[in-house]
Amino acid sequence: MQAVILAGGKGTRLRPLTVYTPKPIVPVANRPFLQYQIDILRKAEVLDITLSLSYQPDKIEMLLGDGSDLGVNLKCITEPNPLGTAGAYRYAADQIRETTVVFNGDVLTDIDIAKLIEQHRSRGATATIVLTPVEDPSRYGLVETAEDGQILRFLEKPKPEELASLGINTINAGIYILEPEVLDMIEYEVNTSFEYDVFPKLLAEKKPFFAYIMDGEYWRDIGTPESYLEAHQDIMGGKVAGLEHMTADYESATAASIDSVSIIGEDCNIKPNARIINSVLGKNVVVEEKAVIENSVIWSHTRVAAGAEIDGAIIGRSCHIGRNAVVGPDTVLGDKTQLTDYTKV
Ligand code: GTP
């Protein structure tokens, strides 16, 4: 069993966070994101993992190395130019002649991969696609299935009035189990997508093509600032199975207040009367006197000066938030942003 993680997208929706850090390795609760996917593959004993890269590949390769620190064998393959999801899989998996788990490299989940593989095998499927139910499916492409789990059709972003009559709320979760036969259906070095090219072809050729419908497992893609922040709230809220509380050693004044769900990175320094509520601080963040950080994610080496208030924001690496600045909900600051004292954003 092999795995391919598609990790070559530009991550435009997550800008400015992805200007210097490619999406697959943005820190999530202070770990490079891909490590969560590698963890669940390792748990299912899928140890041979190929990363399909395109955007800033060297940063990803340098950080994760050959996977030995994570207990897996990692291989990085960089495309000559972006090939789309299916084209990237074809390029990266060219030599693979076994069943393969394919992951979109921006999906945070606690799915049991072993159970998924078992279902794929027991149904004799050529392809299995994981579906997840969502509350508001209007933003997504929907997938309709038969009683026995066979995939019937894909519907791209139906209108709200159509949705009610369709009664479907399952979307493509970006996790697939594919037989090498699928690889053979994709042209080499041609930009192609699973959604628009490969899946319709599997349906047209009447291949055994099944859904695995999530039932209570956690799933969220971290591809927008809103969902990136929500993923952190979910981790702190204990909604993602198997993630232990990850606070490291840090320094804090006795008069500082840090709630029990917040995750504080190594070497942080939290000064007297500062308050940290429901937030994640990266390594070496300094929070000065009376600053308040709430419902936010702050990347490493950022300094929050005295009296600043940050709520519902994402702040990149090595930023400086001036004294008494107010940073409100939905703000996303790129690396090295400097906010002058008393700024309001
Ligand atoms: P946006 O630009 O914000 O849409 O993000 P994205 O570029 O990551 O695109 P999208 O979220 O649709 O991609 C889903 C997954 O496929 C992500 O994990 C991407 O890294 C990956 N991906 C998308 N396009 C390519 C590609 O051309 N090559 C490779 N190797 N991976 C890709």
Side-chain angles (χ1 to χ4, degrees), residues 165-282:
S165 59
L166 285 168
I168 307 167
N169 70 341
T170 40
I171 63 158
N172 175 356
I175 306 165
Y176 320 116
I177 310 278
L178 305 176
E179 293 301 320
E181 201 184 332
V182 178
L183 205 60
D184 301 335
M185 295 167 81
I186 308 168
E187 271 188 272
Y188 191 68
E189 276 198 61
V190 175
N191 191 307
T192 42
S193 106
F194 280 118
E195 297 84 342
Y196 297 108
D197 305 305
V198 179
F199 296 154
K201 208 163 164 188
L202 282 166
L203 283 179
E205 294 187 10
K206 300 198 163 43
K207 299 284 182 195
F209 185 14
F210 285 91
Y212 175 101
I213 302 177
M214 284 185 160
D215 181 17
E217 292 105 321
Y218 179 86
W219 180 89
R220 187 183 292 285
D221 88 83
I222 57 134
T224 65
E226 298 74 36
S227 60
Y228 174 81
L229 200 53
E230 279 164 13
H232 282 83
Q233 307 298 353
D234 292 342
I235 291 172
M236 287 185 281
K239 291 189 188 160
V240 192
L243 298 192
E244 73 285 10
H245 201 266
M246 289 159 283
T247 278
D249 283 341
Y250 62 92
E251 223 177 287
S252 83
T254 41
S257 126
I258 299 158
D259 71 1
S260 62
V261 296
S262 292
I263 297 170
I264 314 293
E266 254 174 88
D267 300 326
C268 282
N269 188 349
I270 299 164
K271 302 267 172 80
N273 299 315
R275 286 192 294 140
I276 315 291
I277 305 145
N278 196 36
S279 295
V280 176
L281 308 191

Side-chain angles (χ1 to χ4, degrees), residues 2-170:
Q2 300 259 348
V4 171
I5 303 181
L6 302 171
K10 285 208 173 96
T12 52
R13 288 165 302 153
L14 203 52
R15 285 176 183 158
L17 300 172
T18 45
V19 171
Y20 296 110
T21 310
K23 182 166 68 170
I25 53 167
V26 294
V28 168
N30 292 342
R31 297 177 77 209
F33 178 68
L34 279 184
Q35 288 191 9
Y36 296 100
Q37 297 198 333
I38 291 171
D39 283 350
I40 65 165
L41 288 167
R42 192 187 51 245
K43 264 186 214 155
E45 288 172 37
V46 180
L47 303 179
D48 292 312
I49 303 173
T50 303
L51 301 183
S52 156
L53 307 178
S54 177
Y55 176 69
Q56 301 188 351
D58 300 348
K59 289 187 182 165
I60 301 178
E61 197 164 354
M62 264 170 54
L63 188 78
L64 300 175
D66 63 1
S68 47
D69 292 350
L70 304 166
V72 296
N73 312 311
L74 267 192
K75 189 159 101 183
C76 293
I77 296 195
T78 302
E79 294 145 42
N81 48 288
L83 290 172
T85 48
Y89 159 65
R90 171 75 170 87
Y91 190 81
D94 192 43
Q95 305 299 322
I96 299 177
R97 300 313 300 170
E98 358 169 0
T99 311
T100 303
V101 184
V102 179
F103 247 112
N104 273 2
D106 57 0
V107 171
L108 178 64
T109 176
D110 53 17
I111 191 172
D112 180 347
I113 298 286
K115 207 164 119 192
L116 169 62
I117 295 169
E118 196 184 292
Q119 185 202 289
H120 173 84
R121 293 222 160 111
S122 71
R123 294 197 172 161
T126 299
T128 298
I129 158 172
V130 176
L131 306 183
T132 186
V134 289
E135 268 170 37
D136 173 16
S138 60
R139 289 193 295 134
Y140 301 92
L142 294 179
V143 187
E144 187 177 15
T145 52
E147 282 283 302
D148 67 352
Q150 284 218 55
I151 304 278
L152 294 178
R153 62 177 174 152
F154 292 86
L155 298 120
E156 264 318 301
K157 300 192 179 82
K159 296 192 185 73
E161 58 273 20
E162 285 172 314
L163 269 175
S165 59
L166 285 168
I168 307 167
N169 70 341
T170 40

Side-chain angles (χ1 to χ4, degrees), residues 304-335:
V304 180
E309 290 172 24
I310 300 173
D311 187 4
I314 308 169
I315 314 262
R317 197 169 286 121
S318 303
C319 293
H320 180 89
I321 309 299
R323 290 170 74 91
N324 295 95
V326 178
V327 181
D330 303 330
T331 304
V332 186
L333 302 183
D335 293 357

